[in-house]
Amino acid sequence: MTGTANPGRRARLVLHLVCVAVAALIVVPVWFGLLGGFKDNGQLSTNPLGWPDPWVTENYTGILGSGVFWRQLGNSVLIAVATTAVVVGAAAMAAFVFARFAFRGRELLATLFAVGLMFPFAVAILPLFVLLRGMGLLDNPLGVILPQAAFGLPVTIIILRQFFRTIPGEVEEAAVLDGCGPFGFFWRILLPMARPALATVSVLAIVSSWNNFMLPLVVFTDQSWWTLPVGVQAFQGQYADDTARVLAYVVLSMLPALGFYAVAERQLIGGLAGSVKG
């Protein structure tokens, strides 16, 4: 009995140590950036991981008092929310068809969407730029929203399709007997039951849009449409010698996405578990 328990205990200990190491790789850079924003460059060179002494709050307050930061924040929020609405709405309808209807070529079409996961975004940036220029969508938020939604469709459809498959057929039969058509079943019954999966794909879409740097950089030449990732690069170039202020800007740019992820974490894990189970 003891011999059996010891290997299991050792395995759990190793697993916990691995989790702690991975957490440290994530937390330490964030901790360094957060405290670094309250320091000056001298403190960063002599005491990079310690507490600030004295605390330099001007790095954060100066950025928060800048209209440029709030404009970039508003642009990021607008583009992220619009991208999420487009990709989740389109993917939900496509996943419903793939999951609940049988027709010739269904699996082939679903496979084509899955192949989109293997298409690197960087490869498409040049033809995408030419296409957007021809459509007059440069310096237009739609030039970022629509491509982001298109590249987000494959993973969103896969997750929602797997979740929709877990809904018992008896539920749909009961809805039909009550007079629901396909759209009524989708809108009134399926979507409310799929809230965990919808929350999951929404979180993934928002975080992906928030972190997208290359597409806004290519599409927006007008600085008034810059998002936070592009703004961080511009700020770093402007204050290249003031590392502490750059760290403060980076931390403030991350906080909205981190806060949203923390609030939606439970729904994210539940939705992923449901899609994997399906």
Side-chain angles (χ1 to χ4, degrees), residues 69-245:
F69 173 79
W70 292 106
R71 183 172 66 247
Q72 293 171 359
L73 175 64
N75 293 339
S76 292
V77 171
L78 170 66
I79 291 174
V81 171
T83 298
T84 302
V86 172
V87 70
V88 173
M93 291 185 285
F96 172 62
V97 173
F98 286 140
R100 312 300 297 194
F101 290 87
F103 56 90
R104 181 177 297 179
R106 181 183 68 173
E107 296 304 320
L108 176 61
L109 288 176
T111 302
L112 288 177
F113 276 103
V115 169
L117 292 172
M118 297 179 286
F119 190 74
F121 178 79
V123 174
I125 194 66
L126 179 58
L128 185 60
F129 173 80
V130 174
L131 177 63
L132 293 175
R133 184 178 59 184
M135 298 175 64
L137 292 180
L138 297 180
D139 282 329
N140 188 321
L142 288 177
V144 176
I145 293 169
L146 295 180
Q148 283 186 163
F151 277 91
L153 279 176
V155 66
T156 308
I157 290 175
I158 290 172
I159 293 175
L160 291 180
R161 185 192 186 197
Q162 291 299 108
F163 197 94
F164 289 166
R165 280 179 165 179
T166 64
I167 307 300
E170 291 79 3
V171 175
E172 186 172 2
E173 293 173 2
V176 172
L177 291 176
D178 287 339
C180 266
F183 182 78
F185 170 71
F186 169 75
W187 183 256
R188 298 179 183 177
I189 299 174
L190 195 63
L191 288 185
M193 295 180 69
R195 284 178 183 174
L198 293 175
T200 298
V201 295
S202 297
V203 170
L204 295 176
I206 286 177
V207 173
S208 175
S209 173
W210 196 271
N211 293 330
N212 196 338
F213 167 75
M214 184 179 296
L215 187 59
L217 178 66
V218 170
V219 172
F220 296 137
T221 56
D222 183 359
Q223 297 185 12
S224 63
W225 277 113
W226 279 2
T227 57
L228 278 175
V230 182
V232 167
Q233 188 212 32
F235 192 86
Q236 183 179 5
Q238 184 178 358
Y239 296 95
D241 297 331
D242 195 346
T243 306
R245 185 175 295 187

Side-chain angles (χ1 to χ4, degrees), residues 42-57:
Q43 294 183 60
L44 281 176
S45 60
T46 58
N47 186 25
L49 295 178
W51 292 99
D53 185 25
W55 291 73
V56 183
T57 59

